[in-house]
Amino acid sequence: SDSLLFLCARRIVANHPLPALPALPAHLYPILFQAAFLDGRPLVLRDLVAAWPFPVLNFQRLVGRRELLRDHPCKLCVQAVILAVVAQLRQDVEEPGRDSSGCRLRVLDVTGLPDDPAGRAPDGMSVWSGTVALAKACVEVSKHQREFQRRGSKRHKGRSGAATAAPQPPGVDVHADLFVNGTSYGILRDALQTAAAGPLRLKCREFQAEKLSLAGIVSLLESLDPSCVRRVDLRFRNLGLTGLSVILPHLSRFPELRSLKLQYSNVDVRRLTPESELGIRCLAGQLGMLPSLRELNLGSSRLSGNLRQILCDLQAPLESLELAFCSLLPADLAFLSQSFHAAALKRLDLSGHDFSQSLLEPLRLLLEETSASLLHLDLMECRMADSHLDALLPTLRRCSRLRFLGLYGNSLSTAALKDLLCKTLELPDLCLVVYPFPVDCYKPLPPRRPAGSRRIYEEPMDGQRLAAASAEISQMLANSGRTDVVWTYNPYGHGALDYFSL
């Protein structure tokens, strides 16, 4: 329930303009900001930012703990904050040293804004659109500064006739997560390159690029402030070993880089050649130049038998390793079991491997070694049947800190899922299990195989059977007092457990 102070704040922000805003005590600004954001009052937010009495405005700290960023429309509100900062800086450029009505803002932190890429919320702001809005703001303020300085150069000449430099406003650093693709590349490049020393400066925390050219990726990486970057995510770009050898050296300038995601990079070393062996050694050496690296995603690379060679130069153990659809061999899992990574792993994604045959025992041994640390385990689409899950269950039960278990896309029966539920109730931290449609919930029709494909299309789902199985699972959770655990057959919409939240 809301506090009396928060209810009063909501009442106040319902009216615009706010009464006597500069005279309000500073400690009321955060609660007024929360209320204005909750109720979608962009004009109030604009006024609050214009008189912000603190050096830092952090969205997550102000409203994230109330889950307002996720549960309420934010596009207009975020835009209002950005525009208020732009207006403030434009005035500072034109009147350096002026009384800024008490505004002391020097850092605007908009990291952690929830992504809404599919536009599910009509008023939501995606990371892409937020990136574009911030980039345009940086370019606009820098352009205004240059134009004002050019117009006023004659007015600031000293006795010698030489132009004297006008005092520079301190400006504002904007900490943000950036997502760029071919459409937004130009504006972000301009913002990073022209605004680096301008009044509004982008400081990237997490950098995500999709389907950019090799030269474009390198250009942006070279333009990022190296002090803030903690994650680089390059996806859907067929870089291959050659492309990675061009990009990875540029990452060594980021001392705080902890997470590197390279899924869909088209690395294929299943058939070694002298060139690919050299590429693997180069990749290993470049990964070894990232001393803070703790998360690595090589999803959809074909690494068969080469995992040891790729990870051999890492300076510290990984805590998150995503190897979905990587064509791993038993030797790769054996290496992981015996490596210094095993005891440190908190997140492990081995989806897309066939654990119905020779990989099952290496997987069991690996889980034994990770059982004390593992929080998140993805085994989706791994061709597991009831007998394979039964073989893993004793080891899964020893993963005492497990929070997430993903089994979607495996051929498991309702009976096996109920047994899994009963035997994992003892795991105190388990909060989310994504289970497959039970095999006994399909209509008994002959399976269909598309021409030229090894994949069998699943039979039509029997909705009544699925509903009955789901209800039975829910009832078992209720009877056991574990309503805090979510069991679902929907793999989407629950928010993946991010490495930085582990």
Side-chain angles (χ1 to χ4, degrees), residues 296-340:
L296 181 62
N297 185 338
L298 295 172
S300 297
S301 295
R302 276 80 70 191
L303 307 179
S304 306
N306 293 285
L307 192 61
R308 178 192 299 272
Q309 290 81 357
I310 291 171
L311 303 184
C312 65
D313 288 340
L314 290 178
Q315 300 180 33
L318 294 170
E319 297 175 349
S320 175
L321 183 57
E322 297 176 77
L323 298 170
F325 299 92
C326 281
S327 304
L328 298 181
L329 301 179
D332 295 310
L333 297 187
F335 155 71
L336 276 183
S337 300
Q338 299 158 12
S339 71
F340 71 159

Side-chain angles (χ1 to χ4, degrees), residues 319 342-348 367 370-377 396 399-403:
E319 297 175 349
L345 281 174
K346 298 179 181 179
R347 179 188 180 115
L348 180 62
L367 293 181
T370 63
S371 59
S373 60
L374 197 61
L375 306 178
H376 181 113
L377 177 62
L396 284 175
C399 297
S400 57
R401 302 176 60 196
L402 197 64
R403 299 181 194 172

Side-chain angles (χ1 to χ4, degrees), residues 16 42 46 60 96 121 137 151 267 270 329 342 376 403 429 489:
H16 181 267
R46 180 198 64 187
Q60 284 283 62
R151 291 197 309 266
V267 173
R270 288 174 293 183
L329 301 179
H376 181 113
R403 299 181 194 172
D429 297 327
Y489 51 77

Side-chain angles (χ1 to χ4, degrees), residues 14 52 83 87 92 132 136 143 147 168 191 198-199 202 212 250 273 299 302 336 339 379-380 403 413 420 429 457 491:
W52 196 250
L83 291 175
D92 289 345
V132 172
K136 288 181 176 179
K143 181 180 179 181
E147 291 177 349
Q168 297 296 312
L202 273 180
L212 280 190
H250 297 277
T273 64
R302 276 80 70 191
L336 276 183
S339 71
L379 297 174
M380 300 189 185
R403 299 181 194 172
S413 68
L420 173 67
D429 297 327
Y457 282 169

Side-chain angles (χ1 to χ4, degrees), residues 165-180:
Q168 297 296 312
V172 172
D173 290 337
V174 183
H175 294 255
D177 300 327
L178 304 179
F179 171 49
V180 58

Side-chain angles (χ1 to χ4, degrees), residues 130-253:
T131 298
V132 172
L134 288 170
K136 288 181 176 179
C138 289
V139 171
E140 177 189 339
V141 174
S142 292
K143 181 180 179 181
H144 181 74
Q145 182 186 48
R146 291 193 301 271
E147 291 177 349
F148 181 78
Q149 289 173 342
R150 189 164 48 247
R151 291 197 309 266
S153 60
K154 293 182 179 180
R155 295 195 298 269
H156 291 285
K157 287 192 175 182
R159 293 178 180 177
S160 64
T164 58
Q168 297 296 312
V172 172
D173 290 337
V174 183
H175 294 255
D177 300 327
L178 304 179
F179 171 49
V180 58
N181 56 19
T183 307
S184 56
Y185 167 74
I187 186 65
L188 181 59
R189 177 202 58 206
D190 293 346
L192 291 172
Q193 294 179 354
T194 65
L200 191 60
R201 300 173 289 269
L202 273 180
K203 307 287 184 178
C204 177
R205 184 185 71 160
E206 299 188 5
F207 176 78
Q208 178 180 333
E210 187 172 289
K211 297 181 180 179
L212 280 190
S213 69
L214 197 60
I217 294 172
V218 169
S219 173
L220 293 180
L221 290 175
E222 283 295 295
S223 301
L224 294 176
D225 186 312
S227 64
C228 304
V229 178
R230 71 177 190 179
R231 169 176 284 158
V232 170
D233 184 348
L234 309 175
R235 59 176 63 186
F236 301 108
R237 180 69 178 87
N238 293 326
L239 297 169
L241 286 172
T242 302
L244 290 178
S245 70
V246 173
I247 287 175
L248 291 184
H250 297 277
L251 302 184
S252 60
R253 31 186 318 265

